[in-house]
Amino acid sequence: MTPSVPEGPGIVKNEYSFYIVDMPRVSEAHLEQRRQQILDAARACFIRKGFHETSMQDIFAEAGLSAGAVYRYFKSKTEIVESISSEAISMMGGALYEIVAEHPPPPPEEAMERLMAHMLENGESYLNSFTLAPQVWSLAMHDSGYRNNIANVLRPVHALWTTYAENLRDAGMLPPDSDPEAVSRTLLALVPGFMLQRVILGGISPETLRDGLYALRHSTAATDSSS
Amino acid sequence: MTPSVPEGPGIVKNEYSFYIVDMPRVSEAHLEQRRQQILDAARACFIRKGFHETSMQDIFAEAGLSAGAVYRYFKSKTEIVESISSEAISMMGGALYEIVAEHPPPPPEEAMERLMAHMLENGESYLNSFTLAPQVWSLAMHDSGYRNNIANVLRPVHALWTTYAENLRDAGMLPPDSDPEAVSRTLLALVPGFMLQRVILGGISPETLRDGLYALRHSTAATDSSS
Amino acid sequence: MTPSVPEGPGIVKNEYSFYIVDMPRVSEAHLEQRRQQILDAARACFIRKGFHETSMQDIFAEAGLSAGAVYRYFKSKTEIVESISSEAISMMGGALYEIVAEHPPPPPEEAMERLMAHMLENGESYLNSFTLAPQVWSLAMHDSGYRNNIANVLRPVHALWTTYAENLRDAGMLPPDSDPEAVSRTLLALVPGFMLQRVILGGISPETLRDGLYALRHSTAATDSSS
Amino acid sequence: MTPSVPEGPGIVKNEYSFYIVDMPRVSEAHLEQRRQQILDAARACFIRKGFHETSMQDIFAEAGLSAGAVYRYFKSKTEIVESISSEAISMMGGALYEIVAEHPPPPPEEAMERLMAHMLENGESYLNSFTLAPQVWSLAMHDSGYRNNIANVLRPVHALWTTYAENLRDAGMLPPDSDPEAVSRTLLALVPGFMLQRVILGGISPETLRDGLYALRHSTAATDSSS
DNA sequence: TATGAATGAGGTTTCATTCAT
DNA sequence: CATGAATGAAACCTCATTCAT
C-alpha cells in the first residue's frame, strides 16, 4: 500500500506520515544572504551616521526587517558593530601581500602609492572604510576587546611591511645597517594619516604620498641625524 | 515679622530664604575657574570612559557639582565635548613652530622625533590626547562641524610643515624640483599612525620614527619611481 | 515532468514537494503521546525556571520540537501552563480517598503522615509539585479562572476530609458536638504549610506533622476555649 | 558692607555670594514620602495584577510619576518587588510575640484564632498580604535570594512558636514527652493553608481554625498512633 | 503535518536636560 | 548663583505567536 514516491535529497520517511519533505525550510544560502542583508544595512547606517548615532531601529528600517528578524542573526548591537568593524579593519592585507612579494621590491613610494590606491578603490566606493576606521579606532580606545581585535589584524600587516623592509635592505635599497622594524613601523604609520587627511582636509591622493616619499628618499646625505 | 535687614543694591529678597546677597557678582576669574573645573572633570571622564560612555551624571560627580551648575557654564554635553575636542586637537602647534623656525632646518627624522617626543610629554602624561584624538576623529566623520573644527586646526599645522619642507628644499636638503606640499602631507600623515600604533600595537617610540625616516632617506637612488 | 505517482485517497499533491502521503492520519495514540511529550518538556522547564521565566523557546528546545509543532497541540502558552497546573493540583486525591475510606478511620496524625508521605513520593521525585504548587497559587491570586480551577479540585478534597472528620466523630474519636467542617478545614490547611516549610525552611517531614498533631491531640482538657 | 543677615541652620556663607541657603532642596521627609508613594503605587498594582503582570509603566501611572523619578528611588523593578515582598512577609511577628509571652499560655486554638484575626486586620484591609504572600512564595521557588529572605523572616517566627510550645508543655498542657519542635512546625504550617483557603475556597475564618483545633485537642485518647 | 523565520508590540532602563526651590 | 528632583523620549532587546514553505 506504500505508494512509490520518488526518494531523493530532502524527501525523508518518518513514522507519522510516510513521507515528509525535510528540505531545510530556507536554504543555507538564504540564511547567509539575510546576514549579509543585515550587515549591509548596518554598514550603510554606520557610514551615514556613525555607530553610536545609529539605533537598532535605523538598522531594522534600512534592512527592511523586523527587530526579531535581526536579533535572530545577531544577538546584540555590539555583535553587529563588531562584525562591521572586523570587516573594515581586515580589508587591507591582499594588495599589500602582492606588493611585498615582488622581486625586486618596488621602491617605498611606489609600494605606498599602490596600496593607497587599492584602499581607495575598495574603500571609498564599496566599504567606505575611511569613514568606519576612525570609529573603530575610537572604540578601541576604551574596549580592550576591540583593541586586541585590531592588534591581531594589524600584526600580520606589520609583519608584511617588515618583510618588505628586509627585502628592500637585502636588495641594497636601504642602508645595510638600517632597522627593518623601524622602516616597517614608519610606513605603517602613514596609512591612518592618509585616511584622515583624505576625509578631513582633502587634497591628498596616493600620488601625494608617492611624491612626498620620493622627495624624502632623495634628500641629500648632508643632513643626517641617526642614532 | 520680617527681620529688619538693610535692603540695598545687591541685596535681594526671595521667597525661600529671606535674604540672599546677590552682590559681588562672582569675579570673571572665578567663572573661568569653574569652567576649567568642569572641563577637567569632563576630560578625566572622557579619557577614562570615552565620550559616549560618559554620562552627564559622571561629569557632575567628577566635578563635584550639580547638574544645574554645570549647565550654567555649558549649555549641552555637546558643547563640553567640543571644548575638550578643540583643546585636544590644538595641542600640537607650539613645538612644531619652534622646530620649523630653526635655521638650518633639522633633518626630517629629527624634526619628527622631537615632535613626537613633545606630544608624548604633553599628551600621555597630562592630556592623554592619544586616547582623545581618535574619538575626535570619529566624531568628525559624521559631523561637519567637528570636521571643520579639526580642519581649521590642522591647516596651520599643515602650513608649518609646508614651510618646513620649503626650508628643507631651499637649504638644498631636498631635490630642487620636489613638491613641498607633498612632503608636508607625508610628514603630517605620520602623526596619527604613530599615535595609534602607540596605543594599539605598542612598541613604537619617537626613535622608531626617527630611525625609519633616516633609513628611508638613505636608500640608494638606484630604485626610483617618481612621476 | 511530474513523475507518475499514483494518486489516491490520502495522497495529495502540494506546491512545495510534489507528493506527500497524507494517509495514516497519525493515530489518536500518537497525538496523545505528542501532547505528553510537550507537557513533559514544559513541566521540566517550569520546575527548573518557573512559569514566567520559561519562554516558549525553552519549551521547544526541551521538547525537541518546532514552534509550529507545539502550537498545533496547544494554542497558547497559557494553555500549557493550565494543563501543568491542573495536573499539579489534582495529584492528591487518590491517597486521601483510601485513607478516608478506612474503618475505623486512622487517627488524624496517622492520616496526615500517610498523606504527606504519599505527596512526597509522587511529588518530589516525580512531579515536583512542591515547586509547582506555589506558582499555581500565585496565578490563582489574579486569575479567577485558575482560582476556580483550584477551587474545583479542592472541593472534593475538602469533602473527603469532611467525611473523614465525620467518621472520626461517629467513631467517638472526636467530641460529639464537634464540627466536622472545622476539623476538615484545619487538616486541609496543614498541607500548604507543610509544602512551603519543606522547600523554604527545610527540617520538616511527615513524622514532624504526625508528632505535632499527636501532641496537640493529647493536651490536657484543663485548658479549653471553645465557642 | 556685609549686611546683618540672620544665620541659622541651613544658612551658610560661601565664597561667591556671601550667603546662600543650603537647606536641603527637599527635606529628608519628602524623599521618604516619595519612596512610600512609589511603594504604595507598586503594592496597589501588585495586589491588583500581580508582580509579573504589572509593568513599570503601570507603576509610573499609579504613582503619578515619571520613569526617571521612580528610578531615582529604586534602581530596578526587582528592587521594588523585593521591598514589597519583604514588607509583606515581615508583617506577622508582633501579634505572635504578644500571644507567646502570656502566662499561662493561651490554648492553641485561642492562640491561632487571635493570630489569624490579627493577620486579617492588618492584611486584608491594609496590606492584602493574603494576595501578595503566594506571589512571594512563588518567587522563592526559583530564586534563592527570596528563599533566604523568607527563611530569615520565618525562623524567628518559628522560634516564637517553639517557645510557645515549650511553655504549653511546661504548663502541663501538652504531654511531658511531646516535642515542642513538632508542635511548633505543625502550628506554623496552618498559616499558609488558612490564607489560601481564605482566598481560593472562602468559607474559612479564624473561628474555623479555633473550632477545628479545639475538636482535635479533645479527641479521645482511644485512638493513638505516636512513634 | 512540521518547520522555523519572521513579526512587532511591549518590556525595562538610561540619560540629557529643565526648573522650582 | 546653586541645587537636584523630575521629566520623558528613546534606547536595546525579548518573546508569544503566525504562516509561507
Side-chain angles (χ1 to χ4, degrees):
Chain A
M1 168 66 250
T2 48
S4 88
V5 172
E7 291 219 26
I11 306 205
V12 299
K13 202 169 172 178
N14 80 355
E15 55 196 313
Y16 320 131
S17 62
F18 281 2
Y19 293 92
I20 64 165
V21 177
D22 194 28
M23 283 302 216
R25 228 50 52 188
V26 303
S27 66
E28 198 62 35
H30 172 74
L31 261 47
E32 183 48 36
Q33 174 196 319
R34 266 277 192 272
R35 257 188 82 91
Q36 276 311 320
Q37 174 183 355
I38 294 166
L39 287 177
D40 289 346
R43 195 185 311 104
C45 292
F46 292 160
I47 288 169
R48 198 186 311 128
K49 310 178 62 178
F51 291 156
H52 283 287
E53 312 313 328
T54 296
S55 73
M56 289 305 283
Q57 295 298 334
D58 291 334
I59 296 177
F60 306 153
E62 179 84 21
L65 289 171
S66 66
V70 170
Y71 275 91
R72 168 170 293 278
Y73 294 90
F74 297 91
K75 73 169 187 288
S76 67
K77 182 181 179 180
T78 296
E79 200 172 291
I80 297 180
V81 170
E82 279 167 356
S83 281
I84 300 291
S85 297
S86 300
E87 194 189 75
I89 58 179
S90 63
M91 61 145 299
M92 205 198 309
L96 183 56
Y97 182 76
E98 288 175 21
I99 294 165
V100 157
E102 291 175 24
H103 283 282
E109 62 273 15
E110 187 191 323
M112 190 56 68
E113 181 190 13
R114 283 165 57 189
L115 183 66
M116 293 300 111
H118 174 81
M119 285 181 61
L120 279 183
E121 279 158 32
N122 292 283
E124 212 143 44
S125 63
Y126 168 56
L127 266 187
N128 282 86
S129 66
F130 281 30
T131 303
L132 291 172
Q135 297 185 66
V136 181
W137 302 336
S138 176
L139 287 181
M141 293 303 104
H142 302 98
D143 183 317
S144 58
Y146 278 102
R147 206 154 53 236
N148 291 335
N149 230 328
I150 302 186
N152 289 337
V153 173
L154 239 41
R155 264 187 285 270
V157 174
H158 172 212
L160 283 177
W161 278 116
T162 306
T163 302
Y164 169 74
E166 285 165 354
N167 291 348
L168 228 43
R169 188 193 52 188
D170 295 348
M173 294 156 80
L174 285 182
D177 64 343
S178 62
D179 181 6
E181 166 71 6
V183 172
S184 165
R185 292 290 197 153
T186 302
L187 293 172
L188 184 56
L190 282 168
V191 178
F194 176 78
M195 295 171 80
L196 286 171
Q197 285 190 55
R198 178 97 188 176
V199 176
I200 293 175
L201 224 38
I204 194 172
S205 69
E207 290 75 31
T208 315
L209 238 42
R210 181 197 57 198
D211 294 346
L213 272 178
Y214 179 86
L216 285 171
R217 287 217 306 122
H218 292 77
S219 48
T220 60
T223 57
D224 290 358
S225 68
S226 176
S227 56
Chain B
M1 170 65 251
T2 47
S4 89
V5 172
E7 291 219 25
I11 304 198
V12 299
K13 201 170 172 177
N14 78 359
E15 54 198 312
Y16 321 129
S17 61
F18 280 359
Y19 292 91
I20 65 166
V21 178
D22 195 25
M23 182 104 253
R25 215 79 256 193
V26 304
S27 69
E28 200 59 35
H30 176 70
L31 257 49
E32 183 50 33
Q33 173 194 321
R34 264 279 196 269
R35 262 186 76 91
Q36 275 310 320
Q37 176 183 356
I38 294 166
L39 288 177
D40 289 346
R43 193 186 312 107
C45 290
F46 293 160
I47 288 169
R48 200 186 309 128
K49 310 177 63 178
F51 292 156
H52 281 287
E53 312 312 330
T54 296
S55 71
M56 288 302 282
Q57 303 295 335
D58 290 334
I59 297 177
F60 305 153
E62 180 85 20
L65 289 172
S66 67
V70 170
Y71 271 87
R72 172 162 296 280
Y73 293 92
F74 296 91
K75 75 169 190 290
S76 69
K77 182 181 179 182
T78 297
E79 199 172 292
I80 296 179
V81 170
E82 278 167 356
S83 282
I84 300 291
S85 297
S86 301
E87 192 190 77
I89 59 180
S90 64
M91 61 145 301
M92 204 196 312
L96 182 56
Y97 182 76
E98 289 175 21
I99 295 166
V100 157
E102 291 176 22
H103 283 282
E109 62 272 18
E110 187 190 322
M112 191 56 69
E113 180 188 15
R114 284 165 56 191
L115 183 66
M116 293 299 111
H118 175 81
M119 286 180 60
L120 279 183
E121 279 158 30
N122 291 282
E124 211 142 45
S125 63
Y126 168 57
L127 265 188
N128 282 87
S129 65
F130 281 29
T131 304
L132 291 173
Q135 296 185 66
V136 180
W137 302 336
S138 177
L139 287 180
M141 294 301 105
H142 303 98
D143 183 316
S144 57
Y146 278 102
R147 205 156 50 238
N148 291 335
N149 229 330
I150 303 187
N152 289 336
V153 173
L154 239 41
R155 262 187 287 270
V157 174
H158 172 210
L160 283 177
W161 278 114
T162 306
T163 301
Y164 169 75
E166 285 165 353
N167 291 349
L168 228 43
R169 187 192 52 187
D170 296 347
M173 294 155 80
L174 286 182
D177 63 343
S178 61
D179 181 6
E181 166 71 6
V183 173
S184 166
R185 293 289 197 156
T186 303
L187 293 172
L188 185 57
L190 282 168
V191 178
F194 176 78
M195 295 171 79
L196 287 171
Q197 284 190 57
R198 179 97 187 174
V199 176
I200 294 174
L201 223 40
I204 194 171
S205 68
E207 290 75 32
T208 313
L209 238 42
R210 181 196 59 199
D211 294 345
L213 272 178
Y214 179 87
L216 285 170
R217 289 215 307 118
H218 293 78
S219 47
T220 61
T223 57
D224 289 0
S225 68
S226 178
S227 57
Chain C
M1 171 65 249
T2 48
S4 87
V5 172
E7 292 219 26
I11 304 199
V12 298
K13 199 171 175 178
N14 77 1
E15 51 198 317
Y16 321 129
S17 62
F18 280 0
Y19 291 92
I20 65 166
V21 178
D22 194 27
M23 182 103 254
R25 218 75 260 193
V26 305
S27 69
E28 200 59 34
H30 176 71
L31 258 47
E32 185 47 36
Q33 172 194 322
R34 264 278 196 268
R35 262 186 76 91
Q36 274 311 319
Q37 174 184 356
I38 293 165
L39 288 177
D40 289 346
R43 193 185 313 106
C45 291
F46 292 160
I47 287 168
R48 201 186 309 128
K49 309 177 62 178
F51 291 157
H52 282 287
E53 313 312 329
T54 296
S55 71
M56 289 302 282
Q57 303 296 333
D58 289 336
I59 296 177
F60 305 154
E62 180 85 19
L65 289 172
S66 67
V70 170
Y71 271 87
R72 174 161 294 280
Y73 293 91
F74 296 90
K75 75 170 190 289
S76 68
K77 181 180 179 182
T78 297
E79 200 173 291
I80 296 179
V81 170
E82 278 167 356
S83 282
I84 300 291
S85 297
S86 301
E87 191 190 79
I89 58 180
S90 64
M91 63 144 299
M92 204 196 314
L96 183 56
Y97 182 77
E98 290 175 20
I99 294 166
V100 158
E102 291 176 23
H103 283 282
E109 61 273 16
E110 186 190 321
M112 191 56 68
E113 179 188 14
R114 283 166 56 190
L115 182 65
M116 295 298 112
H118 174 81
M119 285 181 60
L120 279 184
E121 279 158 31
N122 293 282
E124 212 143 43
S125 64
Y126 168 58
L127 266 188
N128 282 87
S129 65
F130 280 31
T131 303
L132 291 173
Q135 296 185 67
V136 181
W137 302 337
S138 176
L139 287 181
M141 294 300 105
H142 302 98
D143 182 316
S144 58
Y146 278 103
R147 205 155 51 237
N148 290 336
N149 227 329
I150 302 185
N152 289 338
V153 174
L154 239 41
R155 262 185 288 269
V157 174
H158 172 210
L160 283 178
W161 278 115
T162 306
T163 302
Y164 168 75
E166 285 165 354
N167 290 348
L168 227 45
R169 186 192 52 188
D170 295 348
M173 294 155 79
L174 286 182
D177 63 344
S178 62
D179 180 8
E181 166 69 6
V183 172
S184 165
R185 292 289 198 155
T186 303
L187 293 173
L188 183 57
L190 282 169
V191 179
F194 176 79
M195 295 172 79
L196 286 171
Q197 284 191 57
R198 179 95 187 175
V199 176
I200 293 175
L201 222 41
I204 194 172
S205 68
E207 290 76 31
T208 314
L209 237 42
R210 179 197 59 198
D211 293 346
L213 273 177
Y214 179 87
L216 285 170
R217 289 215 308 118
H218 292 78
S219 49
T220 62
T223 57
D224 290 357
S225 68
S226 178
S227 53
Chain D
M1 168 69 247
T2 48
S4 87
V5 172
E7 291 218 27
I11 306 204
V12 298
K13 203 170 173 177
N14 80 355
E15 53 196 314
Y16 320 130
S17 63
F18 281 1
Y19 293 91
I20 64 165
V21 178
D22 195 28
M23 284 302 218
R25 227 52 49 187
V26 304
S27 67
E28 198 61 34
H30 173 74
L31 260 48
E32 183 48 35
Q33 174 195 321
R34 267 279 190 271
R35 257 188 80 92
Q36 275 311 319
Q37 175 183 354
I38 294 166
L39 288 177
D40 290 346
R43 193 186 312 105
C45 291
F46 293 160
I47 287 169
R48 199 186 312 128
K49 310 178 63 177
F51 292 155
H52 283 287
E53 312 313 328
T54 296
S55 71
M56 287 305 284
Q57 295 297 334
D58 291 335
I59 296 177
F60 305 153
E62 179 84 20
L65 289 172
S66 66
V70 170
Y71 274 89
R72 168 170 294 278
Y73 295 91
F74 297 91
K75 72 170 188 288
S76 67
K77 182 180 180 182
T78 296
E79 199 171 292
I80 296 179
V81 170
E82 279 168 355
S83 279
I84 301 291
S85 298
S86 300
E87 193 188 76
I89 59 180
S90 63
M91 61 145 300
M92 202 197 311
L96 182 56
Y97 182 76
E98 288 175 21
I99 295 167
V100 158
E102 291 175 22
H103 283 283
E109 61 273 17
E110 186 190 324
M112 190 58 67
E113 179 189 14
R114 283 165 57 191
L115 183 65
M116 294 298 110
H118 174 81
M119 285 180 62
L120 280 183
E121 279 158 31
N122 292 282
E124 212 142 43
S125 62
Y126 167 58
L127 266 188
N128 281 85
S129 65
F130 281 31
T131 303
L132 291 173
Q135 296 185 66
V136 181
W137 300 338
S138 176
L139 287 181
M141 294 301 105
H142 300 99
D143 183 315
S144 59
Y146 277 103
R147 205 155 52 239
N148 290 335
N149 229 329
I150 301 185
N152 289 336
V153 173
L154 238 42
R155 263 187 287 269
V157 174
H158 171 210
L160 282 177
W161 278 116
T162 306
T163 301
Y164 169 76
E166 285 164 353
N167 291 347
L168 227 45
R169 186 193 52 187
D170 295 349
M173 294 155 80
L174 286 183
D177 64 344
S178 61
D179 180 8
E181 166 70 7
V183 173
S184 165
R185 293 289 198 156
T186 303
L187 293 172
L188 183 58
L190 282 168
V191 179
F194 175 78
M195 295 171 79
L196 287 170
Q197 283 190 57
R198 178 97 188 176
V199 176
I200 293 175
L201 223 40
I204 194 172
S205 68
E207 292 74 31
T208 315
L209 238 41
R210 180 197 59 197
D211 294 345
L213 271 178
Y214 179 88
L216 285 170
R217 289 216 305 121
H218 293 78
S219 48
T220 61
T223 56
D224 288 359
S225 68
S226 177
S227 57

